[in-house]
Amino acid sequence: MDGFKDASRAGDSKKINDLHATFLEPSAGEGAFLKEILHQKLNYVDEISNKTNWKENALWALMSIYGIELLVDNLMKARAAMIEIFVNHHQAKMQQHLSMNSDLYKAAKYIIEVNIVQGNTLEYVNNQGQLIEFSHWIPVEEKVRREVFTYKSLFNNGDVEDINVESGQLSLFDVEDNNLENKYKVCPVTKVYKEEKVND
C-alpha cells in the first residue's frame, strides 16, 4: 500500500478505478463518505467483472476502504450501511440472494469490521487504550496476505514530507514484525474471516 487517500477527496476517478488504491476517513461518523466511496468502487467492479470474478474484485475494493470513528453508535451504523451496500451490489450483479452463511458475506462483514474501527485519531488509541490497528491486504497471485499495522505508525517517522497535503495521501512505511503470532497465512480473499495464522 503506497498510501491512504483522504476520503474527503474521493472524486479522483483514477483512484476509484484502482481496486487497491486505499482511502481513509479519519472521522467516519455514520459513514457518509465511506458509503459513497464504496458505491463508486463497486460500480466500477460491476463494470469490469463477470459473475466469475465479481466476488474477488468486490472484496478487494472493500479491503481498500478504511475508517476511524470515535462514537460506537456511529461506528455500528457505518458498518451496517457498508455491508448493506455490498449485499445490494451483489444481488444486483448476481441476481441472487447473498446468504449470511456464505464465505463471501462472512468475508465482507469481517473486512468491514477490521477496516472500519473505533478510535480517537488524535490520540491514536481506541476505547480500550490500545493503539488503533489496521490491516494491509497484500495481493499474492490470486490470494491475499494480511499484515497488521498501527494507525500511529503512519506518523511515527516525523518527516513532514510524508504527508502530501495536496493529494490527501499519507505514505505508509513498512515496519518489520518478526513475531509469527501476528502473521497471517496467505489465503483466498473469501476466506480471510478464518484468521488463520502462520503458526497455527
Side-chain angles (χ1 to χ4, degrees):
M1 175 164 39
D2 59 2
F4 279 126
K5 180 77 174 177
D6 191 308
S8 64
R9 303 168 185 266
D12 188 338
S13 61
K14 290 182 179 178
K15 294 294 183 181
I16 291 293
N17 295 347
D18 179 347
L19 297 183
H20 302 287
T22 53
F23 288 79
L24 168 66
E25 174 49 70
S27 182
E30 295 182 5
F33 281 124
L34 299 176
K35 291 188 291 183
E36 180 59 27
I37 295 166
L38 183 57
H39 262 311
Q40 291 186 37
K41 282 218 165 192
L42 290 181
N43 282 340
Y44 176 67
V45 169
D46 293 342
E47 290 177 10
I48 66 168
S49 307
N50 54 42
K51 290 186 177 182
T52 301
N53 62 6
W54 187 92
K55 294 178 182 179
E56 288 75 16
N57 287 341
L59 288 176
W60 280 117
L62 194 58
M63 287 173 174
S64 73
I65 302 172
Y66 298 81
I68 303 170
E69 171 51 33
L70 179 63
L71 303 178
V72 174
D73 287 349
N74 286 346
L75 176 69
M76 294 298 103
K77 290 177 181 177
R79 286 175 173 175
M82 292 185 73
I83 193 66
E84 181 179 2
I85 290 169
F86 189 90
V87 168
N88 288 342
H89 273 266
H90 171 272
Q91 293 180 172
K93 182 70 174 183
M94 300 295 187
Q95 295 297 302
Q96 64 181 25
H97 173 72
L98 178 57
S99 169
M100 294 176 67
N101 294 322
S102 67
D103 284 338
L104 179 60
Y105 183 92
K106 290 177 182 178
K109 187 173 185 292
Y110 177 76
I111 292 164
I112 291 170
E113 290 175 354
V114 169
N115 279 21
I116 314 303
V117 300
Q118 190 281 326
N120 183 324
T121 55
L122 297 179
E123 298 180 4
Y124 310 108
V125 297
N126 58 27
N127 282 346
Q128 286 73 48
Q130 300 170 329
L131 287 174
I132 297 167
E133 289 186 341
F134 283 128
S135 291
H136 182 189
W137 308 97
I138 305 166
V140 180
E141 297 179 349
E142 300 296 319
K143 298 183 178 181
V144 61
R145 184 175 78 246
R146 175 186 175 193
E147 292 184 356
V148 177
F149 66 96
T150 65
Y151 174 66
K152 189 176 183 180
S153 71
L154 294 170
F155 307 91
N156 270 354
N157 62 357
D159 188 345
V160 174
E161 291 182 357
D162 279 341
I163 301 179
N164 189 329
V165 178
E166 183 176 351
S167 70
Q169 292 189 357
L170 303 177
S171 68
L172 175 64
F173 57 91
D174 293 328
V175 178
E176 289 296 328
D177 181 1
N178 295 317
N179 184 358
L180 288 179
E181 291 183 0
N182 295 327
K183 293 188 178 295
Y184 291 87
K185 291 180 180 178
V186 174
C187 69
V189 292
T190 55
K191 304 288 187 180
V192 291
Y193 69 92
K194 294 188 174 183
E195 296 190 296
E196 294 181 342
K197 297 287 187 70
V198 168
N199 62 342
D200 285 349

